[in-house]
Amino acid sequence: AILEMAGARFTALAVSGLLICGSLNTITMKVAFSMKGTNLDGHQEVFQKPWFITFIMFVAMSSSLLFDKSMWRRKNGLQESLIDASPDAGNYARSVTWGYKVRMVSIPAVFDILATGLCSMGFLYIPASVWQLLRGAEMVFAALFAVIFLQRELFLYHWLGVGLCTCGIILVGMASVWGSGAQADDGSGGGGDVHLLLLGMGLALGGQVVQAAQVIAEEWLLTEVDLPGLQIVGFEGVWGGLIMMAFVWPLLFWLPGTDHGHLEDEREAFSMVQSNAALTTMIALYTFSCATYNMAGIAVTGALSAVHRVMLEAFRTSIVWIFGLSVHYFVDPNSPFGEAWTPYSWIEVCGFMVLMLGQAVYGEMIRLPCCTYPVGAMQPSNMASPGALRNLASPLPPARKQEANPETWASPLPSRAANP
């Protein structure tokens, strides 16, 4: 009983960490993008460095390796430390070395660089709550890609969930555009350029497309990577940081843009962070929250049901939105990370509820009488993939052990339920 109580308290603590740090990730990033620092020319400018923030995210992820005891535990011989010697593994599985598995984690790192960079660029132009809600689009794109590339079968309830999520995202986008226009018309402040708003939403949705593609790539390429969760997150952070320094930063410097003639100049980013103690603190807080969120997610991955995950995402979005409203109405109405309540905000609330409903239907938390549900154990996953760890579960429809016989399908109505 004591062990059960300790386990329950640890799970509750980890879930609290997920909720608090997940919200802090969004809030600290938005606040950092509104702060100023001194550039190399000695002038003050706003810290709009989305790719630098992407690099900081990978630094936070790499810190997970420090807490993985198996990384530092002494092994009996080099062969055992480099080769997966699981007694249940076949000859081919035993030939897959630990080094090979670590190198394969570089694949999702490439996807994550592009996805996070696009989302961070979009975050410059849209409110934090809208950005948070648009993250729900990953499930929609992942489901479509699963049908096209993995030949997964979607049932009617899957399509209804996808449709509801799509409607919710459209409502959120419409409310944001109309609300921004209304603020600009009445001169109340906070209304931005609608074209930049649309650009921001487009970039954020583009990031969700890449993240959905990452999940598909993991299903194809990472079937043999069965590293512990901390190592997967940690080595993805190491690979992401190295790839950014070796390839992405030089490319950003070479491409023309508005950052002193470059798309983004990381030398300016370091100068601005060093010149402003408050900005340095905000970056440090973002790093801490990212690292804590990853480790808390790994700790409770097996303990959370689909209901818990949807509730966590709903609470996280609510915290971000309430924070923006509080800043606008109680701190500074002209603050760049505050959000005003517009006549169209109720549409955004409706979009939020429809989005959560779609995720609940898609994940079989809400069973509709008009739909047929498959019976059968889901095929076990060989790894806790980076995409699954980011969502606390894979957004793909599960691959089930099914037979062609319709009797293996089940209805939510007891009178129509088939025998397993």
Side-chain angles (χ1 to χ4, degrees):
I2 295 177
L3 292 177
E4 290 181 358
M5 289 179 61
R9 290 176 179 175
F10 174 78
T11 301
L13 180 63
V15 169
S16 300
L18 279 174
L19 179 60
I20 296 172
C21 293
S23 304
L24 272 178
N25 289 346
T26 304
I27 293 172
T28 53
M29 190 192 309
K30 191 65 174 178
V31 173
F33 284 157
S34 69
M35 301 179 76
K36 292 184 177 182
T38 305
N39 59 25
L40 293 175
D41 297 329
H43 300 125
Q44 289 277 312
E45 65 177 77
V46 180
F47 182 81
Q48 295 188 342
K49 309 288 185 181
W51 294 96
F52 181 82
I53 287 292
T54 302
F55 174 76
I56 294 299
M57 182 199 72
F58 285 116
V59 172
M61 292 173 66
S62 63
S63 66
S64 300
L65 295 176
L66 301 175
F67 299 90
D68 182 51
K69 295 181 180 179
S70 63
M71 280 285 295
W72 316 110
R73 190 180 301 133
R74 292 182 63 87
K75 300 287 185 179
N76 295 325
L78 180 62
Q79 185 77 1
E80 183 178 351
S81 66
L82 295 180
I83 296 180
D84 180 13
S86 172
D88 298 327
N91 293 330
Y92 178 75
R94 285 196 294 269
S95 68
V96 177
T97 65
W98 178 81
Y100 171 82
K101 296 175 184 178
V102 170
R103 290 191 297 272
M104 289 299 289
V105 177
S106 64
I107 297 173
V110 174
F111 283 92
D112 227 353
I113 289 171
L114 181 57
T116 306
L118 289 174
C119 289
S120 299
M121 289 178 67
F123 203 12
L124 297 174
Y125 311 115
I126 58 179
S129 64
V130 174
W131 186 84
Q132 185 71 34
L133 287 169
L134 291 179
R135 294 177 68 251
E138 180 183 353
M139 188 204 76
V140 175
F141 296 121
L144 296 178
F145 290 165
V147 173
I148 298 171
F149 299 107
L150 299 180
Q151 305 300 313
R152 294 281 176 90
E153 179 182 6
L154 292 188
F155 290 86
L156 177 60
Y157 71 92
H158 284 132
W159 289 113
L160 288 175
V162 168
L164 286 170
C165 288
T166 303
C167 291
I169 292 168
I170 292 174
L171 288 173
V172 169
M174 291 170 56
S176 181
V177 172
W178 291 342
S180 178
Q183 287 180 272
D185 290 340
D186 61 20
S188 59
D193 189 336
V194 173
H195 295 92
L196 289 178
L197 189 66
L198 291 172
L199 174 62
M201 289 190 288
L203 289 169
L205 289 174
Q208 301 310 307
V209 172
V210 178
Q211 287 185 338
Q214 174 186 339
V215 176
I216 302 298
E218 290 169 0
E219 288 285 318
W220 263 346
L221 303 173
L222 302 187
T223 56
E224 299 139 8
V225 179
D226 54 355
L227 296 172
L230 286 173
Q231 290 188 27
I232 290 175
V233 172
F235 282 118
E236 185 185 347
V238 172
W239 281 115
L242 292 175
I243 293 171
M244 287 203 70
M245 288 189 292
F247 300 103
V248 178
W249 283 1
L251 180 63
L252 294 172
F253 187 83
W254 178 74
L255 291 174
T258 57
D259 189 3
H260 304 274
H262 313 284
L263 187 59
E264 184 168 311
D265 189 346
E266 305 307 336
R267 301 173 305 169
E268 300 282 352
F270 280 105
S271 174
M272 295 173 69
V273 172
Q274 292 174 356
S275 68
N276 188 338
L279 179 58
T280 304
T281 302
M282 196 58 58
I283 296 296
L285 183 58
Y286 174 76
T287 306
F288 172 79
S289 66
C290 281
T292 305
Y293 179 83
N294 286 323
M295 288 183 282
I298 292 169
V300 299
T301 294
L304 293 182
S305 67
V307 177
H308 296 139
R309 290 189 290 271
V310 172
M311 289 179 62
L312 275 173
E313 192 64 26
F315 283 132
R316 179 178 170 180
T317 303
S318 300
I319 290 174
V320 171
W321 201 352
I322 291 172
F323 174 82
L325 291 172
S326 301
V327 169
H328 180 82
Y329 288 104
F330 300 109
V331 180
D332 182 5
N334 297 315
S335 173
F337 52 87
E339 294 187 41
W341 184 270
T342 73
Y344 302 98
S345 292
W346 287 110
I347 299 179
E348 187 173 345
V349 173
C350 292
F352 168 59
M353 296 176 65
V354 171
L355 184 60
M356 294 297 108
L357 176 62
Q359 293 181 355
V361 171
Y362 183 90
E364 301 183 32
M365 287 172 285
I366 298 178
R367 293 202 161 201
L368 304 175
C370 61
C371 296
T372 301
Y373 292 81
V375 173
M378 293 186 294
Q379 295 180 2
S381 174
N382 292 326
M383 67 169 291
S385 68
L389 290 172
R390 180 179 60 247
N391 296 281
L392 306 179
S394 175
L396 293 177
R400 301 176 183 270
K401 296 179 180 178
Q402 295 178 339
E403 299 176 359
N405 190 340
E407 292 183 357
T408 61
W409 299 352
S411 165
L413 296 179
S415 59
R416 295 168 57 194
N419 295 324

